[in-house]
Amino acid sequence: QVLLVESGGGLVQPGGSLRLSCAASGSIRSIYTMRWYRQAPGKQRELVATITNGGSTNYADSVKGRFTISRDNAKNTVYLQMNSLKPEDTAAYYCNSDVKSYVEIRNYWGQGTQVTVSS
């Protein structure tokens, strides 16, 4: 079994910054692509950023230039540095990853962490 646990969410003023973390634990052999999604109330879940195990990144247009995704393969952890936050960034943020355990390759989700941008 593999668990993804997010942390780092909270309340921040517009223009502020937050750093989200997502740590994977369990029977892990390899972690492939890692992703951050977000879902605002009443809206569909959207893909925010992606990083491959080789370090290639991709971002939603709405966060380009403001958010940075990175990973520490030794710690099985992915990060999302969020700068110049806007009220429209308010959402629950979810970590998602393709993980190879000792049994299979599966896609896993974290439980989510809330980010609220408000003055």
Side-chain angles (χ1 to χ4, degrees), residues 1 20 35 42 65 69-70 74 76 78 82 86 91 94 105 116:
Q1 183 68 4
L20 306 183
R35 309 169 187 89
I69 189 171
S70 61
N76 292 333
V78 62
M82 305 186 294
K86 305 175 181 180
Y94 298 89
I105 298 174
T116 302

Short mmCIF file of all heavy atoms in Angstrom, two decimals, residues 1 20 35 42 65 69-70 74 76 78 82 86 91 94 105 116:
data_model
loop_
_atom_site.label_atom_id
_atom_site.label_comp_id
_atom_site.label_asym_id
_atom_site.label_seq_id
_atom_site.Cartn_x
_atom_site.Cartn_y
_atom_site.Cartn_z
N GLN A 1 0.85 -1.20 0.00
CA GLN A 1 0.00 0.00 0.00
C GLN A 1 0.88 1.24 0.00
O GLN A 1 1.94 1.26 0.61
CB GLN A 1 -0.93 0.01 1.23
CG GLN A 1 -1.90 1.16 1.29
CD GLN A 1 -2.97 1.08 0.21
OE1 GLN A 1 -3.03 0.12 -0.55
NE2 GLN A 1 -3.78 2.11 0.12
N LEU A 20 3.56 23.93 -0.79
CA LEU A 20 2.92 22.66 -0.49
C LEU A 20 3.92 21.52 -0.64
O LEU A 20 4.81 21.57 -1.49
CB LEU A 20 1.74 22.42 -1.43
CG LEU A 20 0.67 23.50 -1.51
CD1 LEU A 20 -0.46 23.06 -2.44
CD2 LEU A 20 0.13 23.84 -0.14
N ARG A 35 2.03 14.91 -9.80
CA ARG A 35 1.17 16.00 -10.26
C ARG A 35 0.51 16.71 -9.07
O ARG A 35 0.31 16.10 -8.02
CB ARG A 35 0.05 15.47 -11.16
CG ARG A 35 0.53 14.57 -12.29
CD ARG A 35 -0.64 13.88 -12.97
NE ARG A 35 -0.18 12.89 -13.94
CZ ARG A 35 0.09 11.62 -13.65
NH1 ARG A 35 -0.06 11.18 -12.41
NH2 ARG A 35 0.49 10.81 -14.61
N GLY A 42 -17.61 24.03 -6.32
CA GLY A 42 -18.49 24.15 -7.47
C GLY A 42 -17.80 24.03 -8.82
O GLY A 42 -18.44 24.20 -9.86
N GLY A 65 4.60 30.98 -14.38
CA GLY A 65 5.34 32.14 -13.91
C GLY A 65 5.12 32.45 -12.44
O GLY A 65 5.84 33.28 -11.88
N ILE A 69 6.85 23.61 -9.59
CA ILE A 69 6.80 22.24 -9.07
C ILE A 69 8.22 21.68 -9.05
O ILE A 69 9.02 21.94 -9.96
CB ILE A 69 5.86 21.35 -9.91
CG1 ILE A 69 5.65 20.00 -9.24
CG2 ILE A 69 6.36 21.20 -11.34
CD1 ILE A 69 4.55 19.15 -9.91
N SER A 70 8.53 20.93 -8.00
CA SER A 70 9.84 20.29 -7.90
C SER A 70 9.67 18.99 -7.13
O SER A 70 8.62 18.73 -6.55
CB SER A 70 10.85 21.21 -7.20
OG SER A 70 10.42 21.51 -5.89
N ALA A 74 14.92 11.34 -3.41
CA ALA A 74 15.44 10.63 -2.24
C ALA A 74 14.42 10.60 -1.11
O ALA A 74 14.42 9.68 -0.28
CB ALA A 74 16.74 11.27 -1.77
N ASN A 76 11.06 10.91 -1.78
CA ASN A 76 9.75 10.56 -2.36
C ASN A 76 8.74 11.68 -2.15
O ASN A 76 7.58 11.44 -1.79
CB ASN A 76 9.21 9.25 -1.77
CG ASN A 76 10.02 8.05 -2.19
OD1 ASN A 76 10.65 8.05 -3.24
ND2 ASN A 76 10.04 7.03 -1.35
N VAL A 78 7.12 15.58 -3.50
CA VAL A 78 6.94 16.59 -4.52
C VAL A 78 6.49 17.87 -3.83
O VAL A 78 5.79 17.83 -2.80
CB VAL A 78 5.92 16.15 -5.59
CG1 VAL A 78 4.54 15.93 -4.99
CG2 VAL A 78 5.86 17.14 -6.74
N MET A 82 4.17 28.25 -4.46
CA MET A 82 3.15 29.13 -5.02
C MET A 82 3.43 30.56 -4.60
O MET A 82 3.41 30.87 -3.40
CB MET A 82 1.76 28.69 -4.54
CG MET A 82 1.45 27.24 -4.83
SD MET A 82 -0.23 26.77 -4.40
CE MET A 82 -0.17 26.97 -2.62
N LYS A 86 -3.35 34.58 -5.80
CA LYS A 86 -4.54 35.36 -6.11
C LYS A 86 -5.75 34.69 -5.46
O LYS A 86 -5.73 33.49 -5.21
CB LYS A 86 -4.76 35.41 -7.62
CG LYS A 86 -3.58 35.93 -8.42
CD LYS A 86 -3.86 35.82 -9.92
CE LYS A 86 -2.69 36.32 -10.74
NZ LYS A 86 -2.97 36.22 -12.21
N ALA A 91 -8.53 26.93 -3.31
CA ALA A 91 -8.99 25.59 -3.70
C ALA A 91 -8.40 24.57 -2.74
O ALA A 91 -7.47 24.87 -1.98
CB ALA A 91 -8.57 25.26 -5.13
N TYR A 94 -4.54 18.81 -4.41
CA TYR A 94 -4.35 17.37 -4.28
C TYR A 94 -3.08 16.92 -5.01
O TYR A 94 -2.82 17.34 -6.14
CB TYR A 94 -5.53 16.62 -4.88
CG TYR A 94 -6.85 16.88 -4.20
CD1 TYR A 94 -7.67 17.92 -4.61
CD2 TYR A 94 -7.27 16.09 -3.13
CE1 TYR A 94 -8.87 18.17 -4.00
CE2 TYR A 94 -8.48 16.33 -2.51
CZ TYR A 94 -9.27 17.36 -2.94
OH TYR A 94 -10.47 17.61 -2.32
N ILE A 105 1.87 -1.20 -10.72
CA ILE A 105 1.93 0.24 -10.91
C ILE A 105 0.50 0.77 -10.81
O ILE A 105 -0.39 0.29 -11.50
CB ILE A 105 2.52 0.61 -12.29
CG1 ILE A 105 3.95 0.09 -12.41
CG2 ILE A 105 2.48 2.12 -12.51
CD1 ILE A 105 4.56 0.28 -13.78
N THR A 116 -6.38 28.94 0.97
CA THR A 116 -7.33 30.04 0.91
C THR A 116 -6.56 31.34 0.77
O THR A 116 -5.71 31.64 1.61
CB THR A 116 -8.21 30.08 2.15
OG1 THR A 116 -8.91 28.83 2.29
CG2 THR A 116 -9.23 31.21 2.06
#
